[in-house]
Structures are given as C-alpha cells and as structure tokens.
C-alpha cells in the first residue's frame, strides 16, 4: 500500500510515518499543507491519503478542502481525515459524495496502533470509518426524522455501520446472527428510502443520513 500524509505537526507526521513503516505500509510522501498534498497525490497516485483537517495558512479547514479536491482529481481516492476535536460537519462533508473509502478519526486514535492501522486498511479498502466520539455525540442528541423511524436496535446497527464495521463484525459485536444483522440493515435501507443503485453506495448514504440528521 502506498500512502501520502498531510500533517503540519512535524512530530505527528513523523510518528505516523514510522508507525506505518513498522506495518510495512509505504509512505511515498509526507507534506505539511494542502498544496503539498495535491502535488503529492498527482505525482504518486497513492492508495490512501491521511490528512489533517486544519493546516496552514489559516488552520481552519484547509486539509479537508485539499482532501476533497484530491478526490475530485483522483476519483475514488481513499481519504482518512484526522482532527484534534470532534467536528461533525467535516465528517458529513467528507461523506457527501456518496462513495466509500473515507474515514474521520480523532488524532488521539493514532496512539492506539491496532485501531489506527485497522482504520487505515479499512478506508484504503473502500470502507468507511467514523470516530466513535462522533457517533456518541450524535446518539446523545434528540433525534429528528428520518432517524427516529428506526428501532433502537436498528440505530445501534447503523452506529456500528458508521464506524465502518462489516455485517459479520456487527453480528459479533451484538452477539447476534449474520442473518439478523442483514435483516436490520435491509430495514434501515428501506426506512431511510435508500433504493439499490449502481451509482450510489447505500451503506455510505445511510451513514451520511445518520450524521446529518443524528
């Protein structure tokens, strides 16, 4: 796997680079700003971009904007965004394209090597991975349509889908059968009005609805 890192903190950038090297993941470029990210993506065509949300010059959302631009330039480019704080709107913006291969994690997750590496592989493989703290904040909110039409178990399944778990992993987490999870997922799609489409990833759309409407 070839990875590009865009992170303005020298220490964190070097730390991620070393961590990935220990996992035999090749970091082909490590840059400090959004412009550098776009150049690196164009030059290396990586399998994954790991991007800090806030980078120079204004330290607001340059990283996210650069990541979205990179996905436009290289359609389907998997992007794992790192953030210092929970900012739900960034997760929503990242998922808004309706495609897989996106992740949003708090930077503190990097310290949990197994969790971080799992997220790297999951996103690079075309899946999604939304930080559990984002999920927790959304679950704590007062619910609004259309999420409130889901049963408590369906909302639980959807929250695990948002974290990027497969149906098999969800079944193991909830100690239920694979068939039960498949039924819940089907009900979620039906209740959210997500019809099958070759141009749209229904799991991503379900997660996006969850993030937008909480």
């Amino acid at each position: 796997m070839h990875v590009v890192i865009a992170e303005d903190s020298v220490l964190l950038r070097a730390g991620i680079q070393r961590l990935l090297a220990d996992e035999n993941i090749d970091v082909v470029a490590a840059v400090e700003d959004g412009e550098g990210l776009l150049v690196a993506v164009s030059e290396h065509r990586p399998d994954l971009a790991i991007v800090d949300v806030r980078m120079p010059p204004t330290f607001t959302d340059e990283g996210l904007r650069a990541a979205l631009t990179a996905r436009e330039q290289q359609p389907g480019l998997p992007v794992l965004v790192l953030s210092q704080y929970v900012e739900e709107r960034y997760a929503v913006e990242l998922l808004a394209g309706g495609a897989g291969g996106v992740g949003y994690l708090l930077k503190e997750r990097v310290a949990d090597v197994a969790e971080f590496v799992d997220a790297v592989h999951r996103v690079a493989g075309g899946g999604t991975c939304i930080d559990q703290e984002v999920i927790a904040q959304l679950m704590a909110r007062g619910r609004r349509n259309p999420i409130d039409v889901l049963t408590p178990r369906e909302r639980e399944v959807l929250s695990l889908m948002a974290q990027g778990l497969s149906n098999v992993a969800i079944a193991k987490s909830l100690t239920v059968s694979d068939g039960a999870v498949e039924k819940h997922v089907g009900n979620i799609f039906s209740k959210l009005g997500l019809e099958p489409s070759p141009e749209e990833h229904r799991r991503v759309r379900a997660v996006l609805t969850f993030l937008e409407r909480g």
Side-chain angles (χ1 to χ4, degrees):
M1 183 193 307
H2 295 157
V3 174
V4 165
I5 301 171
E7 165 60 59
D8 64 285
S9 167
V10 175
L11 290 178
L12 183 56
R13 189 168 68 240
I16 294 174
Q17 191 168 2
R18 186 168 196 174
L19 185 158
L20 294 179
D22 289 343
E23 298 293 327
N24 297 314
I25 296 174
D26 186 19
V27 177
V28 294
V31 301
E32 62 182 3
D33 56 30
E35 183 176 346
L37 170 66
L38 297 179
V39 171
V41 167
S42 176
E43 178 180 350
H44 297 286
R45 310 291 291 182
D47 301 305
L48 173 71
I50 299 175
V51 186
D52 182 12
V53 168
R54 301 188 177 199
M55 291 195 293
T58 67
F59 294 95
T60 53
D61 62 356
E62 286 87 354
L64 178 72
R65 297 297 162 207
L68 293 173
T69 299
R71 279 174 71 89
E72 292 175 358
Q73 295 179 352
Q74 184 179 325
L77 170 68
V79 173
L80 176 57
V81 165
L82 301 179
S83 178
Q84 188 70 39
Y85 310 103
V86 174
E87 297 176 280
E88 296 158 15
R89 69 186 181 91
Y90 291 146
V92 171
E93 287 190 61
L94 197 61
L95 283 163
V102 293
Y104 179 96
L105 290 181
L106 293 181
K107 290 185 177 180
E108 64 190 54
R109 305 298 177 210
V110 177
D112 187 328
V113 176
E115 180 179 355
F116 180 67
V117 171
D118 177 67
V120 166
H121 284 290
R122 189 181 300 168
V123 174
T128 59
C129 185
I130 307 301
D131 197 281
Q132 59 192 23
E133 287 299 323
V134 176
I135 305 302
Q137 287 194 20
L138 289 167
M139 294 296 284
R141 287 180 178 180
R143 305 196 195 290
R144 305 181 300 276
N145 285 330
I147 298 301
D148 60 3
V149 303
L150 302 181
T151 66
R153 176 63 92 182
E154 287 164 356
R155 287 195 292 267
E156 191 173 12
V157 169
L158 182 52
S159 74
L160 293 172
M161 287 170 59
Q163 293 177 48
L165 272 65
S166 66
N167 285 4
V168 173
I170 292 173
K172 183 179 295 185
S173 176
L174 299 179
T175 318
V176 298
S177 69
D178 294 354
V181 172
E182 290 177 6
K183 182 177 180 180
H184 287 314
V185 171
N187 289 340
I188 290 168
F189 290 158
S190 177
K191 290 181 179 180
L192 297 183
L194 301 175
E195 298 298 328
S197 169
E199 299 177 354
E200 189 171 60
H201 196 306
R202 285 199 294 173
R203 288 181 82 93
V204 174
R205 291 304 304 173
V207 170
L208 180 58
T209 299
F210 176 65
L211 292 171
E212 288 179 326
R213 302 299 176 88

